């Protein structure tokens, strides 16, 4: 038996009262147990086995983030010694980082827009030139070949260099801001692959958008700025080290996520609300200001580039302004009976959104089985989807009849084969246009503009809209899981706008609402039915369409769609989180958690490993090598006050694994067993160094002689961990974890007595600042489960 096991068994044996060990002892009334017996054994066991069986059912081996403020001696000295100038410098640098995040996100988003619009635009113009010459087969070969090449480039980047760059990236950001250390998500390689991969995938005409990748790119920019660059090439500026902690990284990544949404939709307020409603778990007013500042910088950058591009210096990009899908030219008039079609759109959005989530869940599970077979299968899957997409986009317009142009339109407007426009000639004779080609053979943004177009009630026929809707439903389901950067916003907008416009045609004799506005409402309803967002979506659509009169009916549609969708299944991002195996603390606890107390939860777990205030080096090394715990209680025997049982111990606090590794790495050892002076600690460590957690125990070498030395853990121990009573329900504890941002929680019994145990749960998120030093004098039998999440 190892010394660590012997140490744990000593505490386990100490927790068993002597009266329970006596053979033949009479069964006692639970309420008559003596005071010196453990309270945890006194608890009435009325709980069924089902809730306890659920504990640990969703275990993940992904580590949590250390958001906790460790109020050890070094932190307190650093806090007391800070001058006003240093505090102002720290705050000023936060705003500088927020400015740089907005600036770089705006520049990169503009470059992505320029590249995708020009590559896709010139590709479509070349394909149309073959059609005008009636070389239809060559046109298909050209457009399919270019799309395959673009898809292959994007897929190879993801498969070979950055597998985590595939997909939207928003679920991973959501998990990170919830407190999970999502691996390999914010590096420089990820960002570069995301940029060029999204350009290739969107330009290839795949049914995906660049909105999700832009959110991920903004988060990558924020993370790289906060830590001073990539891991291997970090800038060693002294002031940057103050941001090399999980708490500040969380704040700056939140700014990056909001900036990405703003860059995608040119919606600064919508970006802030998206970060608040969808991705961020922890929020405060100071973060709100910096996030809004970042999105304001993004808008300024986008506006500056749009002004330059309007002069014609950006190729096919530049027609338009800051409003992407302007529908302000139409007057919105609606009456009381218009609530019926609006409610119908909301119900359809909720039902189809939940159905879309269900089907997408099944397809993503199938794709995961294919992707597990290797890189070649990932690449072949991407190319297959690309070829199918090209065949549909190019071939389906041949199936519909040509529509004669309205006599009120000039020949320069209808028909046209230019890069943008509502009336694509395609294969039609002069004076006619192909309405399905107008939607399919266009860039993603142009397709949305065309289907959102107002005062065009006779432009699209129901059959063409139905084909468009069915096609994009199929493409939206089969495109998301391939190995390329992809966004969910645009496919859902196109699907929703199609059935919205169909409903507008069906009810045009009963309502005065324009068909283009029906398309806007349909897109909003499907996004709310699938993503389950309301406030941020409402503001984003207002900023997209520039029509404030849509606000009342948009709010109604979003509320109905979300309510209907929530009655069937969770949001699409929650489904992806579950499929990726990322732990996530939900906003609302499960019902069974009300029937389970934290004390009972502690009973269901193995005993914890503790350390003494002055511990031998070999004991620390053994604990670090044989456990995966993130924190260890520091306890030591004390001379008990009058009336307290002999053998009481002091809970000195909690010490993190990263701090123990730092101690071993710096070889801060003592030859004799003694307490250190304050100056000795400051001579060896700084509060900034203790924030870093890159070092691992496997990288530290300790000699045989050093194993016999001692370490004083008192100066590095967090003396103010959060503490709750053992009778607290797991549901209430979970709310505390999420709202306050905890990772460690001490569980204490209802009274002090010999043998009564304290338990501790290691969960995720940061511990908020406490103002008082707390000491608990209790005999110890302590329990700590591992850092793996089991909620």
């Amino acid at each position: 038996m190892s010394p660590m096991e012997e140490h744990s068994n000593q505490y386990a044996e100490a927790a068993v009262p002597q009266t329970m060990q006596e053979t033949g002892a009479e069964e006692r009334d639970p309420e008559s147990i003596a005071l010196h017996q453990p309270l945890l054994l006194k608890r009435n066991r009325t709980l069924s086995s089902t809730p306890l069986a659920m504990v640990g059912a969703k275990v993940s081996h992904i580590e949590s983030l250390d958001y906790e403020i460790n109020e050890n001696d070094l932190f307190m000295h650093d806090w007391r010694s800070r001058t006003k100038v240093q505090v102002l410098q720290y705050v000023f640098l936060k705003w500088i980082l927020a400015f740089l995040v907005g600036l770089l996100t705006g520049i990169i988003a503009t470059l992505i827009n320029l590249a995708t619009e020009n590559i896709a635009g010139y590709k479509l113009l070349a394909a149309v030139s073959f059609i005008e010459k009636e070389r239809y087969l060559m046109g298909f070969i050209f457009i399919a070949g270019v799309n395959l090449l673009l898809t292959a480039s994007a897929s190879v980047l993801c498969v070979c260099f950055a597998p985590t760059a595939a997909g939207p990236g928003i679920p991973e950001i959501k998990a990170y801001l919830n407190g999970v250390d999502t691996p390999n998500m914010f590096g420089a390689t990820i960002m570069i692959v995301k940029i060029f991969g999204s350009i290739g995938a969107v330009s290839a005409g795949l049914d995906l958008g660049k909105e999700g990748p832009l959110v991920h790119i903004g988060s990558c920019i924020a993370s790289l700025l906060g830590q001073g660059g990539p891991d291997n090439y970090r800038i060693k500026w002294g002031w940057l080290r103050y941001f090399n902690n999980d708490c500040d990284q969380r704040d700056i990544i939140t700014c990056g996520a909001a900036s990405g949404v703003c860059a995608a939709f040119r919606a600064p307020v919508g970006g802030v609300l998206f970060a608040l409603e969808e991705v961020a778990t922890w929020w405060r007013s100071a973060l709100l200001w910096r996030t809004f500042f970042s999105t304001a910088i993004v808008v300024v950058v986008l506006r500056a580039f749009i002004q330059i591009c309007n002069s014609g210096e950006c190729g096919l990009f530049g027609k338009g302004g800051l409003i992407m899908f302007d529908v302000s030219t139409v007057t919105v008039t609606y009456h009381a009976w218009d609530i019926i079609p609006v409610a119908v759109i909301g119900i359809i959005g909720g039902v189809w959104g939940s159905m879309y989530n269900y089907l997408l869940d099944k397809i993503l599970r199938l794709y995961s089985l294919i992707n597990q077979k290797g890189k070649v299968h990932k690449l072949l899957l991407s190319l297959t989807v690309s070829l199918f997409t090209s065949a549909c986009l190019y071939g389906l317009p041949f199936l519909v009849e040509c529509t004669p142009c309205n006599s009120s339109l000039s020949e320069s407007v209808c028909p046209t084969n230019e890069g943008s426009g509502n009336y694509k000639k395609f294969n039609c004779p002069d004076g006619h246009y192909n309405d399905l080609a107008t939607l399919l053979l266009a860039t993603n943004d142009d397709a949305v503009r065309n289907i959102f177009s107002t005062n065009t009630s006779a432009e699209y026929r129901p059959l063409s809209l139905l084909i468009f809707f069915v096609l994009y439903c199929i493409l939206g389901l089969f495109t998301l899981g391939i190995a390329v950067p992809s966004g969910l916003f645009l496919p859902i907008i196109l699907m929703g706008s199609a059935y919205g416009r169909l409903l507008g045609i069906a009810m045009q004799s009963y309502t005065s609402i324009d068909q283009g506005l029906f398309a806007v409402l349909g897109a909003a309803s499907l996004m709310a039915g699938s993503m389950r967002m309301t406030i941020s979506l409402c503001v984003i659509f207002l900023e997209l369409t520039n029509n404030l009169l849509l606000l009342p009916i948009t709010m109604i549609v979003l509320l109905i769609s979300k309510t209907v969708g929530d009655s069937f299944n969770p949001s699409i991002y929650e489904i992806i989180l579950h499929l990726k195996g990322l732990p996530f603390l939900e906003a609302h606890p499960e019902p069974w958690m009300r029937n389970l107390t934290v004390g009972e939860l502690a009973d269901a777990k193995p005993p914890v490993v503790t350390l003494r205030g002055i511990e031998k080096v070999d004991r620390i090394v053994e604990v670090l090598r044989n456990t995966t715990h993130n924190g260890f209680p520091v306890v030591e025997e004390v001379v008990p006050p009058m009336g307290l049982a002999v053998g009481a111990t002091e809970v000195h606090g909690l010490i993190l694994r990263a701090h123990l590794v730092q101690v071993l790495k710096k070889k801060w050892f003592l030859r004799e067993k003694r307490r250190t002076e304050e100056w000795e600690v400051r001579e060896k460590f700084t509060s900034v160094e203790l924030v870093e957690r890159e070092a691992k125990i496997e990288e530290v070498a300790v000699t045989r002689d050093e194993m016999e030395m001692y370490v004083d853990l008192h100066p590095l121990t967090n003396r103010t961990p959060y503490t709750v009573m053992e009778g607290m329900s797991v549901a209430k504890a979970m709310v505390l974890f999420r709202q306050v941002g905890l990772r460690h929680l001490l569980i204490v019994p209802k009274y002090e007595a010999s043998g009564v145990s304290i338990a501790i749960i290691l969960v995720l998120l940061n511990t908020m600042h406490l103002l008082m030093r707390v000491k608990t004098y209790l005999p110890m039998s302590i329990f700590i489960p591992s850092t793996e999440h089991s909620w």
Side-chain angles (χ1 to χ4, degrees), residues 89 137 147 156 184 225 242 400 431 441 590 604 646 668 749:
Q89 181 186 25
L137 181 60
N147 288 345
V156 167
N184 303 320
L225 287 174
Y242 288 101
V400 300
L441 290 181
E590 297 289 338
V646 178
W668 190 55

Side-chain angles (χ1 to χ4, degrees), residues 354-432:
S354 59
M355 179 62 69
Y356 178 78
N357 291 355
Y358 173 79
L359 296 175
L360 193 58
D361 180 21
K362 301 301 180 184
I363 293 175
L364 290 177
R365 292 178 185 274
L366 174 63
Y367 277 9
S368 66
L369 297 177
I370 299 175
N371 293 333
Q372 287 175 3
K373 296 182 178 181
K375 297 180 179 179
V376 176
H377 289 80
K378 290 183 180 180
L379 183 59
L380 290 177
L381 179 61
S382 301
L383 295 179
T384 302
V385 172
S386 175
L387 184 60
F388 176 74
T389 302
S390 301
C392 293
L393 296 181
Y394 185 85
L396 287 178
F398 288 98
L399 302 180
V400 300
E401 298 179 357
C402 295
T403 304
C405 294
N406 193 316
S407 58
S408 62
L409 300 174
S410 63
E411 294 183 0
S412 61
V413 176
C414 180
T416 179
N417 275 329
E418 298 296 329
S420 60
N422 275 54
Y423 305 94
K424 292 292 180 66
K425 182 178 180 181
F426 195 58
N427 63 331
C428 296
D430 294 339
H432 293 72

Side-chain angles (χ1 to χ4, degrees), residues 40-89:
L40 297 182
L41 296 178
K42 182 180 176 181
R43 186 182 298 110
N44 185 15
R45 297 292 186 177
T46 59
L47 181 67
S48 66
S49 60
T50 303
L52 282 176
M54 293 181 181
V55 176
K58 299 179 180 179
V59 175
S60 173
H61 296 280
I62 300 176
E63 284 287 331
S64 304
L65 294 168
D66 290 324
Y67 289 156
E68 180 180 2
I69 298 176
N70 283 278
E71 292 186 326
N72 50 38
D73 292 347
L74 282 173
F75 173 83
M76 299 307 296
H77 177 269
D78 178 71
W79 187 262
R80 290 191 298 266
S81 60
R82 286 185 182 181
T83 62
K84 290 185 178 180
V85 174
Q86 290 175 323
V87 173
L88 290 175
Q89 181 186 25

Side-chain angles (χ1 to χ4, degrees), residues 150-169:
L150 292 171
T151 304
S153 62
S155 185
V156 167
L157 287 174
C158 289
V159 170
C160 298
F161 298 100
T164 54

Side-chain angles (χ1 to χ4, degrees), residues 434-449:
N434 190 310
D435 58 346
L436 188 56
T438 301
L439 297 176
L440 296 183
L441 290 181
T443 62
N444 290 335
D445 289 348
D446 282 340
V448 177
R449 290 190 187 96

Side-chain angles (χ1 to χ4, degrees), residues 104-132:
L104 294 178
T105 303
I107 293 174
I108 291 177
T110 302
L111 296 179
I112 291 176
N113 286 327
L114 287 174
T116 54
E117 291 289 323
N118 281 283
I119 294 174
Y122 285 116
K123 175 195 68 177
L124 293 174
L125 288 177
V128 168
S129 66
F130 286 107
I131 295 173
E132 290 176 341

